[in-house]
Amino acid sequence: REASQIPQRFLFYKPCMSEGMADRIIMEQELHKALANHEFYIEYQPQVNLKTGKIESLEALVRWRHPTRGFVPPDVFIPIAEESGLIIPLGKWILETACYQAKSWEAQGLPQMKVAVNLSLGQLFQQDLVQMVEGILQQTGLKPHHLQLEITESMTMNIDQMTQLLHELKALGIQIAVDDFGTGYSSLSYLKDFPIDCLKIDRAFVRNIQHDPNDEALVSMILSMAKHLRFKVVAEGIEEVAQLAFLIEGGCDYIQGYLFSKPLAAEQLTETFKELHSHAEEILDQFKYVE
Ligand code: C2E
Ligand code: MG
Ligand code: MG
Ligand code: MG
């Protein structure tokens, strides 16, 4: 028999499993050192307001530059940080750093921008989460309405507990966004209980929007539902003008994606801010006469 005819699972099974698990344990130990060793940094990705053409917010995305492995993606290390509990100090560091940075851009005379920070499940169960957020706002001097926290639908927490927690966070004056909207399995009923400001449409829905009528239908449905519920909508992962055209047509509020900018280190963002703005304007100018 040809090797290609052997069922996949036999080829996959033995070496990967044990090595993968050993690797995970090593990575967990390395993660603990990484925070003390300053191996983490944050990149910021612009969100462009489609009505004004301005960069009005930035999503903070954590990065890990490992001394020998090189760049390790957050999709790989965040789940490990979750399981090991490191997400608590790491999450605090991310929030502090992002708030300090947003405040410092304000001091440098950049236009007022919101910063959006991802929360992970472990942080929602952190007893002093609300006090921690409040403390960081005080310490950094960032105005509460310039901070947006992103949660996801797949964060499995009792719905009453979650509602209560989100109301406490909202009471600080911050904004709440639902990230990766539509990719979880939760029922829509939470949308009427949670104090939500914003829905983020996942890249999975917009990637093939020009070719897949089902994606088109789903995105239209999300946009119209959000409008009725008075949520703002951010579309994530926009890479092409054709995708943008569809979202403008549908009344989407904000766009985040490589079309406008990749996530950038803080200094890089400061240096190229003007160019980023004119780049966004140039792209959006094409649509001025279409409406
Ligand atoms: P997310 O919060 O949904 O972040 C959006 C992801 O889409 C980011 O990946 C971003 O770099 C990527 N992206 C944005 N525009 C485009 C585009 O046009 N094309 C493509 N192909 N990708 C685009 P990233 O930075 O690798 O983060 C992956 C996930 O890891 C995040 O998804 C989030 O769930 C998690 N994560 C990242 N940073 C943090 C953090 O600071 N805290 C927590 N708890 N989770 C984080
Ligand atoms: Mg996010
Ligand atoms: Mg997302
Ligand atoms: Mg995601």
Side-chain angles (χ1 to χ4, degrees):
R1 270 185 147 203
E2 297 282 318
S4 64
Q5 289 176 301
I6 301 169
Q8 280 295 309
R9 61 199 145 97
F10 292 117
L11 290 175
F12 169 72
Y13 177 63
K14 54 176 195 298
C16 303
M17 295 305 272
S18 50
E19 253 178 53
M21 274 161 71
D23 205 46
R24 199 184 166 94
I25 292 165
I26 294 168
M27 195 176 272
E28 189 176 321
Q29 294 164 345
E30 291 173 337
L31 261 178
H32 276 276
K33 287 185 229 143
L35 196 57
N37 290 348
H38 308 288
E39 289 165 19
F40 294 110
Y41 65 101
I42 297 181
E43 287 187 339
Y44 299 85
Q45 188 177 30
Q47 297 178 342
V48 175
N49 183 331
L50 292 178
K51 311 266 156 43
T52 64
K54 302 262 186 291
I55 298 171
E56 289 188 0
S57 35
L58 302 162
E59 180 176 18
L61 295 156
V62 69
R63 302 291 178 240
W64 182 16
R65 202 192 290 105
H66 186 281
T68 56
R69 291 174 203 263
F71 178 76
V72 185
D75 282 332
V76 171
F77 71 82
I78 292 285
I80 303 174
E82 279 268 357
E83 275 175 36
S84 66
L86 184 76
I87 197 67
I88 302 301
L90 177 60
K92 185 178 185 199
W93 179 85
I94 294 167
L95 191 65
E96 268 170 355
T97 309
C99 290
Y100 267 116
Q101 186 57 59
K103 183 68 192 175
S104 123
W105 274 319
E106 204 183 296
Q108 288 171 58
L110 262 68
Q112 284 288 348
M113 289 181 291
K114 261 190 312 211
V115 66
V117 178
N118 293 280
L119 283 185
S120 52
L121 184 62
Q123 289 178 281
L124 297 187
F125 288 100
Q126 186 183 335
Q127 283 307 310
D128 64 345
L129 177 70
V130 179
Q131 293 93 304
M132 182 189 85
V133 173
E134 190 177 21
I136 289 174
L137 287 170
Q138 277 168 4
Q139 187 190 313
T140 59
L142 187 71
K143 293 190 191 75
H145 62 278
H146 289 151
L147 175 63
Q148 183 161 67
L149 294 179
E150 296 189 2
I151 57 165
T152 68
E153 280 180 275
S154 52
M155 288 178 161
T156 45
M157 188 186 223
N158 166 306
I159 203 143
D160 293 333
Q161 243 182 312
M162 185 74 140
T163 308
Q164 155 116 30
L165 175 63
L166 293 180
H167 274 104
E168 285 175 30
L169 286 167
K170 275 299 289 180
L172 300 175
I174 67 167
Q175 310 257 303
I176 306 284
V178 177
D179 200 0
D180 306 342
F181 181 71
T183 62
Y185 289 102
S186 43
S187 86
L188 289 176
S189 63
Y190 76 92
L191 291 176
K192 68 185 169 62
D193 297 320
F194 290 0
I196 294 165
D197 301 285
C198 176
L199 298 182
K200 296 190 75 177
I201 303 181
D202 196 73
R203 191 170 88 89
F205 295 113
V206 283
R207 200 166 25 210
N208 293 318
I209 204 156
Q210 311 99 291
H211 314 294
D212 187 337
N214 290 338
D215 283 338
E216 195 178 316
L218 283 168
V219 170
S220 300
M221 191 268 303
I222 296 172
L223 287 167
S224 123
M225 185 191 67
K227 196 170 186 182
H228 285 105
L229 292 168
R230 295 188 180 78
F231 300 147
K232 296 287 184 203
V233 180
V234 179
E236 273 190 310
I238 304 304
E239 297 181 354
E240 293 161 32
V241 173
Q243 298 166 330
L244 174 66
F246 183 88
L247 291 154
I248 290 179
E249 173 82 27
C252 183
D253 302 287
Y254 296 89
I255 295 287
Q256 177 181 350
Y258 295 172
L259 178 65
F260 289 119
S261 173
K262 293 203 168 187
L264 300 171
E267 314 79 60
Q268 212 180 346
L269 192 120
T270 316
E271 281 164 21
T272 59
F273 195 76
K274 280 210 178 79
E275 286 97 284
L276 287 172
H277 248 143
S278 30
H279 176 58
E281 256 162 32
E282 236 166 72
I283 294 169
L284 290 172
D285 267 351
Q286 306 171 57
F287 295 94
K288 280 225 171 110
Y289 308 101
V290 182
E291 293 168 31

